Amino acid sequence: QSIRHIDRSRVYVTGLSGGGRMSGILAGCFPDLFAGAVSMAGVAHYEDKTNDLGKIWPAYFLRPSAKRWDLYKTHRLAATSGPKDFNHEQTLVLMGMQKDAGLDARVFTFDDIGHQTPDSAGFADALRWVDEPARTAADQRAKLGQRLLQALDDKPPAGDARAELLKIMDQAPWTPAGWTAAERLGLAQKP
């Protein structure tokens, strides 16, 4: 039952080093489950890449189906790294390949870190960027929900008003108006 209390449009995955690679793999292969990723000190791509010294950075996964890839391209992928990280060059190159493949990908470089997580402010910046499209959509849903709720003019939840309250819950979930509609229908207590 608690799964209903998760905003599915804002579930992200993250990890460090090999876990950073895994977060990119999971976000790319399961874009229906994860709305984006913050990969720290490690990224993955679906193609091999040979660097300037002849070293091969191997592909870590197969490119997902066209349907999954198209969905993944609607999400964001952030990577964090720093010049002291032995994966820094690889991160920059592979994230460039992600961008070339049509992904909304961005590297957050922190001069003071090596192969580690950024500080909480740095991580928050990366996550905030990944979450920005969802926040924008949530703001739009909140405005729509408020307009729909005001149109009801505090009518009791019966007949058409009940249908309108259900419509608000459907079109403006996770918003104050959505919670108010659920409360008026006796389905939830406002968080």
Side-chain angles (χ1 to χ4, degrees):
Q1 197 174 36
S2 63
I3 194 86
R4 293 184 213 164
H5 299 291
I6 296 172
D7 183 347
R8 303 286 302 154
S9 69
R10 296 176 91 176
V11 175
Y12 306 112
V13 61
T14 188
L16 173 67
S17 190
R21 292 188 202 288
M22 283 305 303
S23 67
I25 294 168
L26 288 169
C29 294
F30 301 100
D32 51 330
L33 298 177
F34 301 105
V38 178
S39 299
M40 299 178 289
V43 297
H45 193 64
Y46 60 85
E47 293 178 312
D48 290 344
K49 176 66 177 173
T50 304
N51 73 6
D52 294 339
L53 301 174
K55 179 178 177 174
I56 296 175
W57 293 322
Y60 284 92
F61 62 104
L62 297 176
R63 182 177 171 148
S65 68
K67 181 179 176 182
R68 285 184 184 272
W69 193 255
D70 287 344
L71 179 57
Y72 187 38
K73 291 192 310 188
T74 67
H75 302 325
R76 286 185 171 181
L77 173 63
T80 66
S81 186
K84 298 175 186 175
D85 179 7
F86 60 83
N87 276 340
H88 187 61
E89 179 189 359
Q90 182 184 37
T91 296
L92 296 174
V93 170
L94 295 184
M95 289 294 281
M97 291 171 66
Q98 302 281 33
K99 289 181 81 153
D100 291 345
L103 294 177
D104 197 355
R106 179 175 169 190
V107 177
F108 289 77
T109 299
F110 303 97
D111 291 334
D112 60 336
I113 67 169
H115 195 71
Q116 64 197 67
T117 62
D119 63 18
S120 59
F123 179 78
D125 285 344
L127 183 58
R128 200 173 0 266
W129 179 78
V130 169
D131 186 52
E132 183 180 26
R135 278 194 325 277
T136 300
D139 290 346
Q140 292 170 346
R141 285 192 310 269
K143 290 175 185 174
L144 170 65
Q146 195 56 41
R147 283 195 308 272
L148 293 171
L149 196 58
Q150 286 173 345
L152 279 177
D153 195 33
D154 295 325
K155 294 177 186 171
D160 290 340
R162 180 174 173 75
E164 286 300 311
L165 289 169
L166 290 170
K167 179 179 174 182
I168 292 167
M169 287 177 56
D170 181 57
Q171 293 185 4
W174 309 105
T175 67
W179 286 111
T180 298
E183 202 173 42
R184 287 187 189 176
L185 289 166
L187 300 174
Q189 293 180 348
K190 207 169 189 178

